Amino acid sequence: MNFQLYRHFDADGRLLYIGKSISAVMRLSGHRSASSWYGEISRVEIENFESVADLSAAEVVAIRQEHPIYNIAHNKPPRSEMRSVTVWVWPEMHA
């Protein structure tokens, strides 16, 4: 059995989403009804793996390194895009 890592790209080549499935083509139909960004997909790349363990590890690495727009899990912005926030707490707020 093949395990597949897929990448969805828009017409400008921006990486929209990285996912995993035993059938990336069948999974694409699931995105059609469940993903607001489905209409943006212009190209799909599929990579095959021999084990689910290898597939799962590759998915995490790919998301962390490539930062697809619509992935939430494992997807932190690059340090250069992180923002510092200062929070002020007034004593009266705790009274």
Side-chain angles (χ1 to χ4, degrees), residues 17 20-21 30-31 42 54-55 61 84:
Y17 189 81
K20 62 184 178 182
S21 179
H31 283 298
S42 177
D54 290 344
L55 170 64
V61 169
S84 176

Short mmCIF file of all heavy atoms in Angstrom, two decimals, residues 17 20-21 30-31 42 54-55 61 84:
data_model
loop_
_atom_site.label_atom_id
_atom_site.label_comp_id
_atom_site.label_asym_id
_atom_site.label_seq_id
_atom_site.Cartn_x
_atom_site.Cartn_y
_atom_site.Cartn_z
N TYR A 17 -1.54 24.08 1.09
CA TYR A 17 -1.83 23.06 2.10
C TYR A 17 -0.96 21.84 1.86
O TYR A 17 -0.68 21.48 0.71
CB TYR A 17 -3.31 22.67 2.00
CG TYR A 17 -3.79 21.78 3.12
CD1 TYR A 17 -4.15 22.31 4.35
CD2 TYR A 17 -3.89 20.41 2.95
CE1 TYR A 17 -4.59 21.49 5.38
CE2 TYR A 17 -4.33 19.58 3.97
CZ TYR A 17 -4.67 20.14 5.18
OH TYR A 17 -5.10 19.33 6.21
N LYS A 20 -1.86 14.36 4.17
CA LYS A 20 -1.47 12.96 3.96
C LYS A 20 -2.73 12.12 3.78
O LYS A 20 -3.79 12.45 4.31
CB LYS A 20 -0.63 12.44 5.12
CG LYS A 20 -1.34 12.45 6.46
CD LYS A 20 -0.42 12.02 7.57
CE LYS A 20 -1.18 12.09 8.90
NZ LYS A 20 -0.34 11.74 10.02
N SER A 21 -2.59 11.05 3.01
CA SER A 21 -3.73 10.18 2.73
C SER A 21 -3.22 8.89 2.10
O SER A 21 -2.08 8.82 1.63
CB SER A 21 -4.68 10.90 1.75
OG SER A 21 -5.78 10.08 1.44
N GLY A 30 -12.69 15.41 -0.71
CA GLY A 30 -13.09 15.81 0.64
C GLY A 30 -12.83 17.28 0.90
O GLY A 30 -13.61 17.97 1.55
N HIS A 31 -11.71 17.78 0.37
CA HIS A 31 -11.41 19.20 0.51
C HIS A 31 -12.42 20.06 -0.24
O HIS A 31 -12.71 21.18 0.15
CB HIS A 31 -9.99 19.51 0.02
CG HIS A 31 -8.92 19.09 0.97
ND1 HIS A 31 -8.81 19.62 2.24
CD2 HIS A 31 -7.91 18.20 0.84
CE1 HIS A 31 -7.77 19.07 2.85
NE2 HIS A 31 -7.21 18.20 2.02
N SER A 42 -4.64 25.01 -7.86
CA SER A 42 -4.34 24.98 -9.28
C SER A 42 -3.47 23.78 -9.65
O SER A 42 -3.51 23.29 -10.76
CB SER A 42 -3.61 26.27 -9.67
OG SER A 42 -3.24 26.27 -11.01
N ASP A 54 6.71 6.79 8.17
CA ASP A 54 7.52 7.69 7.33
C ASP A 54 6.69 8.84 6.80
O ASP A 54 7.14 9.99 6.75
CB ASP A 54 8.14 6.92 6.16
CG ASP A 54 9.23 5.96 6.59
OD1 ASP A 54 9.74 6.09 7.74
OD2 ASP A 54 9.58 5.07 5.79
N LEU A 55 5.46 8.54 6.39
CA LEU A 55 4.56 9.57 5.88
C LEU A 55 4.26 10.62 6.94
O LEU A 55 4.36 11.83 6.69
CB LEU A 55 3.25 8.92 5.42
CG LEU A 55 2.10 9.87 5.06
CD1 LEU A 55 2.46 10.73 3.87
CD2 LEU A 55 0.84 9.08 4.82
N VAL A 61 7.56 17.49 9.12
CA VAL A 61 8.75 18.21 8.66
C VAL A 61 8.39 19.18 7.53
O VAL A 61 8.79 20.35 7.54
CB VAL A 61 9.86 17.23 8.21
CG1 VAL A 61 10.98 17.96 7.49
CG2 VAL A 61 10.40 16.46 9.41
N SER A 84 6.36 40.77 18.56
CA SER A 84 6.44 40.91 20.01
C SER A 84 5.22 41.69 20.48
O SER A 84 4.83 42.68 19.87
CB SER A 84 7.72 41.67 20.38
OG SER A 84 7.75 41.89 21.76
#
